[in-house]
Amino acid sequence: MDLRIFTEPQQGATYDTLLTVAKATEDLGFDAFFRSDHYLRMGTVDGLPGPTDAWITLAGLARETKRIRLGTLMTAGTFRLPGVLAIQVAQVDQMSGGRVELGLGAGWFEEEHKAYGIPFPKEKFARLEEQLEIVTGLWATDPGKTFDFHGTYYDLTDSPALPKPAQRKIPVLVGGHGPSRTPRLAAKYADEFNMPFASVEDSERQFGRVRAAAAEAGRGDELTYSNALVVCVGRDDAEVARRAAAIGREVDELKLNGLAGSPSEVVDKIGRYAEAGSSRIYLQVLDLHDLDHLELISAQVQSQLS
């Protein structure tokens, strides 16, 4: 089971804070550092000092880290034109020496679009499908050849399809709860399917749908299946309660909907997700100043899973 650190910087984090967490992620043996792609805080937090851009952040981290994978859960398709996104991600992949992964979603948070003047189209899912075809098609075009695409929402003619990423193929993540279109999209374009903030039972059901869609598309069982879950681990009940309070959550709710409790409790629940088909967990860490939390997870959770 791979454990990856997943952050939500729109809730309030500077680049320096994210760099500190990314370096701790690397030093403590976690597999990857991922971040959300949002420009507006959620809930009652003030979000100060304000948002950071996902791909600018990852470009900086690409030069400051050496081993960990770097990526997004999920880049919002509404924020960037697909041709520009393909250039950005390929460049960051070069800067990292081939450690980037792209999670790409349709975009959903209407308020942040209003706050920053970003168009919020109704037909987001159909746009996402074209975006996935364009981004992966640009990367896959042989050097010296050009890429053309003529769709409903995007039109590319004689694109040189440059630059190329350092990796032969950047892993693409697709995720979500949709019962039909989402599995079909994952089967067609994804290397990894991510089920965010879902129960073991719902994850197993959705993984089954994606496997069926992949088989129908003629693919083998090569997809990676993963979950994203909030994490809150403590050495004792008091430490769990303190960490839950720090992120404005209740212990019982976190135990029900995430990975919370003692290290042994969390290891047991991760085991249930593994039985459902998951081989990778994105640990949503909401208190980015509590590095002792990461150290505890590394020493007493990750060590048991490896």
Side-chain angles (χ1 to χ4, degrees), residues 24 28 30 233-235 239 242-243 287-300:
L28 293 170
F30 293 104
V233 186
R235 297 171 180 84
E239 192 167 80
R242 175 177 63 78
R243 290 201 162 109
D287 185 352
L288 299 181
H289 299 286
D290 186 1
L291 298 183
D292 180 63
H293 193 198
L294 298 184
E295 293 174 3
L296 175 63
I297 295 168
S298 173
Q300 297 193 30

Side-chain angles (χ1 to χ4, degrees), residues 32-280:
F33 174 94
F34 271 59
R35 60 157 291 164
S36 61
D37 188 16
H38 287 293
Y39 292 135
L40 192 67
R41 60 103 180 98
M42 302 170 194
T44 58
V45 300
D46 57 27
L48 295 176
T52 50
D53 182 81
W55 286 100
I56 290 177
T57 296
L58 294 175
L61 299 181
R63 307 301 292 175
E64 297 282 357
T65 57
K66 297 179 180 179
R67 177 188 60 80
I68 51 173
R69 306 290 293 177
L70 301 165
T72 51
L73 280 182
M74 299 283 188
T75 287
T78 48
F79 288 174
R80 300 166 181 87
L81 295 171
V84 174
L85 180 62
I87 292 170
Q88 291 173 320
V89 178
Q91 184 178 4
V92 178
D93 193 54
Q94 291 175 357
M95 293 167 70
S96 72
R99 294 183 285 122
V100 159
E101 304 184 10
L102 172 64
L104 185 57
W108 62 270
F109 190 19
E110 186 172 5
E111 286 79 2
E112 69 186 336
H113 294 74
K114 291 179 179 178
Y116 287 96
I118 303 168
F120 190 69
K122 292 182 179 179
E123 62 292 332
K124 292 182 291 297
F125 198 91
R127 286 175 180 269
L128 173 62
E129 183 159 14
E130 289 194 9
Q131 290 162 350
L132 284 164
E133 184 169 350
I134 291 166
V135 171
T136 57
L138 287 167
W139 291 337
T141 299
D142 291 333
K145 295 185 178 181
T146 58
F147 176 82
D148 289 79
F149 179 88
H150 307 292
T152 302
Y153 308 104
Y154 304 101
D155 198 289
L156 288 75
T157 301
D158 291 335
S159 172
L162 298 172
K164 297 303 182 194
Q167 297 176 85
R168 183 188 63 80
K169 186 181 188 309
I170 291 179
V172 172
L173 290 74
V174 170
H177 297 251
S180 55
R181 292 195 299 174
T182 297
R184 177 183 58 80
L185 209 59
K188 189 172 183 179
Y189 295 106
D191 300 284
E192 177 177 337
F193 178 78
N194 180 262
M195 189 62 168
F197 311 112
S199 67
V200 172
E201 295 76 17
D202 287 345
S203 298
E204 186 171 26
R205 190 176 302 113
Q206 186 72 330
F207 291 163
R209 294 186 186 115
V210 175
R211 285 195 182 90
E216 187 175 342
R219 297 185 64 180
D221 195 21
E222 71 238 36
L223 270 76
T224 296
Y225 295 87
S226 64
N227 289 90
L229 295 159
V230 63
V231 66
C232 181
V233 186
R235 297 171 180 84
D236 52 37
D237 290 345
E239 192 167 80
V240 175
R242 175 177 63 78
R243 290 201 162 109
I247 60 174
R249 305 280 285 269
E250 298 291 333
V251 172
D252 289 345
E253 178 267 323
L254 287 169
K255 287 188 176 185
L256 178 65
N257 297 313
L259 299 172
S262 67
S264 60
E265 286 180 285
V266 170
V267 168
D268 288 344
K269 191 164 186 182
I270 289 174
R272 292 173 57 201
Y273 279 96
E275 291 172 358
S278 184
S279 62
R280 180 172 292 158

